[in-house]
Amino acid sequence: MAWFDSLAGKALLDSETDSIRSALHEREGQSWLWLAPTASAVASPGRGLRLQVRGAGWAGPVRCGGPLPLANETVATVVIQHATKGGSRGAALVDECARVLVPGGRLWLYALNPLSPYRLRWAGSGLSATEPMPWRRRLRDAGLHPDAVSLGLGPRWRVETSASLQQGAGLRAAWVLRAEKRSIPLTPMRQRIPLRLGDGVPAA
């Protein structure tokens, strides 16, 4: 994740700042979880837990490995910002984030766009990029409901901050996909009223 400390990496992270702040403000007064690629001086609004990638685990106010140090359904918003890889590790992290989300909570996933010319700036850094479709499937497998369209953001080629959002990833350096944890309310069963015959004897 050292690339995100470079000028090109910082330009991308700066492009995502407004979007992430908006996500964290979405559920005022409720807790959030922000998984980031590197430490940052950006102020985090409200109350929540910000962790950054450290080897195979996480560092920050707490240090942990695989399972997140949070109880089930305790945060309203989860932001995964370039903090996961594909395959089974990515699926496991999405499952963990779905576990800690409250019903009605949202997960925001930020990832590098393999179709962007900006990919030449992270070439050789060990970072990998992926299209939204595989992540949309992982989110569904975790019981979440992703938006039908991802949003593109960040620069296309020049090292500059570009915070505007567009429909679809396009050639932007990164994309963001939002998913919601929906709960299906239990439907109360109506009590069966027995059919009575003419003499008042119940038929069932």
Side-chain angles (χ1 to χ4, degrees):
M1 295 292 178
W3 178 79
F4 288 101
D5 289 322
S6 68
L7 289 177
K10 288 178 179 178
L12 176 55
L13 295 184
D14 289 344
S15 300
E16 296 170 347
T17 298
D18 288 345
S19 174
I20 290 175
R21 282 179 175 160
S22 176
L24 299 182
H25 274 294
E26 199 173 41
R27 304 286 291 271
E28 290 286 352
Q30 299 190 45
S31 299
W32 46 260
L33 172 66
W34 180 3
L35 303 176
T38 185
S40 172
V42 176
S44 305
R47 57 193 182 96
L49 177 63
R50 188 183 192 279
L51 301 174
Q52 61 264 10
V53 176
R54 183 66 56 85
W58 307 98
V62 296
R63 289 176 175 266
C64 59
L68 296 169
L70 297 168
N72 294 351
E73 299 185 351
T74 51
V75 298
T77 302
V78 173
V79 171
I80 305 177
Q81 184 190 23
H82 308 293
T84 186
K85 296 182 178 180
S88 59
R89 287 184 60 187
L93 179 59
V94 168
D95 286 343
E96 270 293 280
C97 291
R99 176 184 67 80
V100 303
L101 267 178
V102 301
R106 286 176 175 166
L107 182 149
W108 299 69
L109 175 66
Y110 294 75
L112 297 173
N113 180 10
L115 303 180
S116 174
Y118 210 71
R119 68 185 183 276
L120 297 178
R121 300 199 180 277
W122 67 71
S125 67
L127 296 176
S128 58
T130 181
E131 296 185 34
M133 187 61 69
W135 286 105
R136 195 173 277 112
R137 287 195 296 267
R138 291 186 184 104
L139 292 165
R140 288 198 189 100
D141 290 344
L144 303 177
H145 296 260
D147 288 348
V149 179
S150 61
L151 300 175
L153 74 169
R156 293 177 176 84
W157 169 245
R158 297 178 60 184
V159 178
E160 61 185 3
T161 300
S162 182
S164 62
L165 295 169
Q166 69 176 40
Q167 290 288 313
L171 298 179
R172 305 295 285 276
W175 51 263
V176 55
L177 182 62
R178 187 181 67 175
E180 184 176 355
K181 182 176 183 178
R182 299 175 186 169
S183 59
I184 301 175
L186 296 177
T187 303
M189 298 293 293
R190 292 184 178 179
Q191 185 177 4
R192 184 180 176 185
I193 301 175
L195 176 65
R196 294 184 179 274
L197 302 178
D199 57 3
V201 178

